[in-house]
Amino acid sequence: VDIRDVGKRVVRQILGLKGPDIGEEPVILCGHEIEPSVIANIPTEQIAGVLLGQGSTTCHAVIIAKARAIPTVVGLGDKLKEIKSGASLVINGETGEVYVAPTEQQLIAFNEQIKEQNRLKAHYAELTSLPAETTDGHKVMLVANISTHLDVEAAVSGFGAEGVGLFRSEFLFMGRSEAPDEEMQFQAYKEAVEKCKGQLCVIRTMDIGGDKPLPYLNIPKEDNPFLGWRALRICLARRDIFMPQVKAILRAGVYGKAAMMLPMVIRLSEVDKVKQIIEEAKVLLAQENKPYSNSVQLGIMVETPAAAVMSPIFAKHVDFFSIGTNDLIQYTLAVDRVNSNVSYLYDPFNPGVLALIKRTIDSANKNKIWAGMCGEMASDPCAAVLLMAMGITELSMSAPSIPRVKELIRKISMVEAKKALDKVMSMEHAADIKEYLHEKFNDKK
């Protein structure tokens, strides 16, 4: 898509053609696929929403839209044929609902929802500079998940992020014919670290494979790529690609507070090998007269049942844990979260999942390292209350979710949160847990 996008832009320049004319009023951009440059080159206030026939939440067009808080719905397929240019639409980016030619009554109802959203937006803006602190003085760090170094400023200044809990470095590796070199990576990491202004910037080493293959890595076709050659497994096998990334992160650490996070860890020997590579990288940097930091923290993503069960062991060998619930839930429950036939079973409040999360946080606290979460579960305010009661230190999420989570945390006490946790951990059904949390905290949101 990116390559075709560039080609079209070149042709338009040669032929003297203008870009798409969307007029002066806000519009919903609608297409089977939409080039990232189209979204990037239109002022945010003119785009009311984006509808895509194909694509995923990780395609570049969606990443750009999400970073600008533009409601987006993907995977509409043939339903797009029902939508004509100039049609009146209402879309809900949270639920994926799309209404064509809404009735007068629907418009009235939706306009009331929009007014409420605008009221909440103004209210949330007042929370930007305030800490995520309970009524009895317990603080939690709320930080942002980002895909590029360009996302940091909006997360910090626009939504009050206190740093970066997940820099998805694989996006530097995607859309290219070869891996980015050390210098290119260094510049991106350095900018992200600097924009955090002394707060921690956690850089995940490339999580390639699974649903994010790269042609130049020659990853063989796999029947189950999510359980195959991906993430740290590739890094340890391809040191020619991994070493430049390690060196770049160590160099970026000179310009602020940086951390290196390893995805898909299941064995202690993997951590030991990375530590050896880090020491080798320091020797090389010293020989090359390149400044590097000795204080870059090393942590792991806890996103497999093995890592969660072994967390008491891992906690003795790393500086932090970050719980990746997207995969942890998938692997724990044996549920493919993108399979519509079984997606209803994908549930972060499953008692088995909660038990593994609590075990991980307990292991971190016992060994005096910090524990965070960078999966989607962190953006659920009710889940955040439970995690805080479990003793989590940091919650990392999509930046627009930060105000909602902060608001609930600031309205409750740690005493309330721990009582809720005790109740939840004694319950046997996820549905009961969610109903209880909704009833207990819904009036506070």
Side-chain angles (χ1 to χ4, degrees), residues 236-249:
L236 293 177
R238 292 291 305 272
R239 289 180 53 156
D240 58 315
I241 292 177
F242 190 41
M243 181 62 82
Q245 180 167 45
V246 172
K247 292 171 68 180
I249 294 173

Side-chain angles (χ1 to χ4, degrees), residues 432-445:
D432 293 339
I433 292 172
K434 286 183 284 190
E435 183 180 359
Y436 165 74
L437 291 173
H438 179 78
E439 290 178 355
K440 186 171 183 62
F441 296 116
N442 191 51
D443 62 331
K444 295 179 181 289
K445 287 194 256 182

Side-chain angles (χ1 to χ4, degrees), residues 169-174 176 178-185 189 206 214 216 240-241 244-245:
S169 69
E170 56 270 15
F171 282 90
L172 293 175
F173 291 76
M174 298 168 71
R176 302 173 55 84
E178 59 184 10
D181 61 20
E182 176 191 328
E183 194 62 30
M184 178 184 174
Q185 292 187 65
Y189 304 149
M206 67 166 193
L214 291 180
Y216 55 81
D240 58 315
I241 292 177
Q245 180 167 45

Side-chain angles (χ1 to χ4, degrees), residues 134-136 385 388 408-409 411-418:
T134 62
T135 56
D136 49 0
V385 170
M388 180 181 67
L408 181 56
I409 289 174
K411 287 183 176 180
I412 66 167
S413 68
M414 179 58 95
V415 173
E416 288 180 275
K418 287 187 174 180

Side-chain angles (χ1 to χ4, degrees), residues 157-218:
S157 61
F159 297 99
E162 299 174 89
V164 169
L166 172 61
F167 184 150
R168 300 183 180 95
S169 69
E170 56 270 15
F171 282 90
L172 293 175
F173 291 76
M174 298 168 71
R176 302 173 55 84
S177 60
E178 59 184 10
D181 61 20
E182 176 191 328
E183 194 62 30
M184 178 184 174
Q185 292 187 65
F186 164 63
Q187 293 295 337
Y189 304 149
K190 172 177 175 286
E191 183 174 332
V193 169
E194 286 179 328
K195 286 181 176 179
C196 285
K197 298 178 181 178
Q199 300 283 13
L200 187 62
C201 180
V202 179
I203 303 167
R204 180 175 68 186
T205 57
M206 67 166 193
D207 187 6
I208 294 298
D211 61 342
K212 293 171 283 190
L214 291 180
Y216 55 81
L217 287 182
N218 297 316

Side-chain angles (χ1 to χ4, degrees), residues 170-298:
E170 56 270 15
F171 282 90
L172 293 175
F173 291 76
M174 298 168 71
R176 302 173 55 84
S177 60
E178 59 184 10
D181 61 20
E182 176 191 328
E183 194 62 30
M184 178 184 174
Q185 292 187 65
F186 164 63
Q187 293 295 337
Y189 304 149
K190 172 177 175 286
E191 183 174 332
V193 169
E194 286 179 328
K195 286 181 176 179
C196 285
K197 298 178 181 178
Q199 300 283 13
L200 187 62
C201 180
V202 179
I203 303 167
R204 180 175 68 186
T205 57
M206 67 166 193
D207 187 6
I208 294 298
D211 61 342
K212 293 171 283 190
L214 291 180
Y216 55 81
L217 287 182
N218 297 316
I219 299 175
K221 181 174 175 56
E222 299 174 313
D223 290 336
N224 195 336
F226 282 99
L227 300 180
W229 201 48
R230 59 171 290 201
L232 189 61
R233 299 164 185 179
I234 294 177
C235 291
L236 293 177
R238 292 291 305 272
R239 289 180 53 156
D240 58 315
I241 292 177
F242 190 41
M243 181 62 82
Q245 180 167 45
V246 172
K247 292 171 68 180
I249 294 173
L250 292 175
R251 291 173 63 191
V254 173
Y255 298 88
K257 194 175 178 183
M260 184 186 309
M261 181 163 65
L262 310 176
M264 283 295 290
V265 173
I266 62 168
R267 300 188 300 176
L268 184 58
S269 60
E270 294 168 329
V271 176
D272 292 337
K273 288 178 182 177
V274 171
K275 287 183 176 180
Q276 292 174 8
I277 293 172
I278 290 173
E279 293 307 311
E280 292 175 26
K282 290 178 179 179
V283 171
L284 291 173
L285 289 170
Q287 292 173 347
E288 297 164 3
N289 292 317
K290 295 176 180 176
Y292 66 88
S293 172
N294 266 316
S295 60
V296 172
Q297 297 181 42
L298 179 66

Side-chain angles (χ1 to χ4, degrees), residues 22 29 64 68 79 201 238 267 282 356 365 396:
I22 64 169
L29 301 178
I64 293 171
R68 294 164 68 176
K79 293 180 181 178
C201 180
R238 292 291 305 272
R267 300 188 300 176
K282 290 178 179 179
L356 287 179
N365 291 333
S396 188

